[in-house]
């Protein structure tokens, strides 16, 4: 299966700052998704973004599947953005089972 | 819609005991998955199912069993619990392989002592 690398592994921000999280894949990727795991452990699907750009409030995501990467932008960060951000995707080899990255841990200080 | 419902939310088992983690979805999703997440780590796939009557192993299936008798339910069975199975377990579902949008349950925190 494909390999997924997320960067940075850890990120500490002051409230109001902007940030970019990156997800690199070892092969062309399908079904790319971004998730947020809040400090209580709940996993929320932020974006389903096989290609292109989507925006939802202060968050936006861009996927360039042929270049094997995706970016998650967080603008004007808030303390409620804290948690771990995971990306996941499926390879082009026929398996529909997503591979998850190890996550980016984000802490936003007030 | 309730989405993906997992029960129980918390459980403490003694070594050697058995239990079943329940997972139910009401979105008529074909694909269902079980993951475990160890502290500070990512998600590891235990088992998955692409439809009723069909199950397959993931990355870490040892010590677990699953069944999928209906589209809605995908229980995970732990036989002879071991401390290494202390983890948080997540169930997820997606409509299909082509539309792989995941919905996760709220998780079950299991401690084996």
């Amino acid at each position: 299966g494909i390999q997924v690398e997320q960067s940075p592994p850890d990120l500490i921000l002051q409230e109001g700052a902007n940030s970019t999280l990156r997800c690199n894949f070892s092969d062309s990727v399908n079904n790319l998704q971004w998730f947020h795991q809040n400090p209580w452990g709940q996993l929320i699907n932020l974006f389903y973004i096989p290609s292109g750009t989507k925006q939802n409030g202060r968050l936006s995501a861009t996927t360039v599947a042929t270049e094997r990467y995706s970016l998650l932008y967080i603008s004007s960060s808030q303390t409620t953005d804290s948690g771990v951000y995971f990306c996941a995707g499926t390879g082009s080899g026929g398996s529909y089972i997503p591979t998850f990255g190890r996550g980016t841990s984000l802490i936003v200080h007030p | 819609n309730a989405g993906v419902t997992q029960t129980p939310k918390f459980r403490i088992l003694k070594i050697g005991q058995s239990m079943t983690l329940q997972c139910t979805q009401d979105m008529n999703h074909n694909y269902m998955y079980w993951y475990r997440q160890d502290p500070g780590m990512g998600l590891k796939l235990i088992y998955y199912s692409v439809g009723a009557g069909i199950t397959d192993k993931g990355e870490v299936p040892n010590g677990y069993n699953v069944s999928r008798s209906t589209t809605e339910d995908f229980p995970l069975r732990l036989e002879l619990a071991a401390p290494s199975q202390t983890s948080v377990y997540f169930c997820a579902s997606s409509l299909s392989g082509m539309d792989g949008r995941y919905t996760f349950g709220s998780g079950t925190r299991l401690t084996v002592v």
Side-chain angles (χ1 to χ4, degrees):
Chain A
I2 59 171
Q3 307 300 311
V4 182
E5 182 177 327
Q6 288 190 244
S7 60
D10 301 282
L11 189 57
I12 299 175
L13 299 174
Q14 286 297 129
E15 203 166 27
N18 302 327
S19 62
T20 300
L21 283 59
R22 186 176 180 102
C23 195
N24 288 333
F25 294 87
S26 59
D27 199 353
S28 295
V29 63
N30 301 312
N31 285 318
L32 196 141
Q33 305 175 71
W34 284 95
F35 299 89
H36 175 222
Q37 186 169 36
N38 64 26
W40 296 270
Q42 189 178 13
L43 280 156
I44 304 297
N45 194 319
L46 295 174
F47 292 103
Y48 177 74
I49 185 167
S51 64
T53 298
K54 289 186 178 180
Q55 182 156 4
N56 184 1
R58 295 180 295 103
L59 274 60
S60 64
T62 295
T63 295
V64 185
T66 53
E67 298 293 323
R68 301 175 292 171
Y69 73 89
S70 183
L71 303 173
L72 178 69
Y73 305 94
I74 305 175
S75 64
S76 303
S77 58
Q78 300 177 357
T79 56
T80 52
D81 296 330
S82 297
V84 182
Y85 291 80
F86 293 99
C87 63
T90 55
S92 55
S95 170
Y96 293 128
I97 306 303
T99 299
F100 281 78
R102 293 175 64 89
T104 291
S105 176
L106 173 64
I107 298 174
V108 181
H109 289 301
Chain B
N1 283 346
V4 178
T5 302
Q6 288 185 239
T7 57
K9 294 191 183 303
F10 305 93
R11 183 72 185 268
I12 299 175
L13 278 182
K14 293 184 178 180
I15 294 172
Q17 287 185 321
S18 301
M19 77 165 293
T20 299
L21 282 65
Q22 302 291 343
C23 177
T24 299
Q25 54 91 10
D26 62 358
M27 298 171 286
N28 204 30
H29 282 178
N30 293 309
Y31 283 47
M32 296 187 75
Y33 316 81
W34 274 106
Y35 289 88
R36 61 176 287 172
Q37 185 179 34
D38 298 327
M41 303 294 286
L43 296 162
K44 294 185 178 179
L45 183 64
I46 306 171
Y47 271 96
Y48 66 97
S49 168
V50 300
I54 306 170
T55 63
D56 209 344
K57 296 178 181 179
E59 182 184 358
V60 289
N62 291 343
Y64 307 94
N65 279 301
V66 294
S67 60
R68 184 95 182 270
S69 57
T70 66
T71 299
E72 295 78 20
D73 299 311
F74 190 40
L76 177 71
R77 178 80 177 165
L78 278 72
E79 304 281 2
L80 299 175
S84 60
Q85 293 178 305
T86 294
S87 190
V88 180
Y89 292 84
F90 289 98
C91 179
S93 71
S94 63
L95 179 62
S96 67
M98 293 301 292
D99 183 347
R101 259 171 284 208
Y102 263 35
T103 299
F104 277 97
S106 57
T108 295
R109 186 175 297 275
L110 175 68
T111 303
V112 182
V113 297

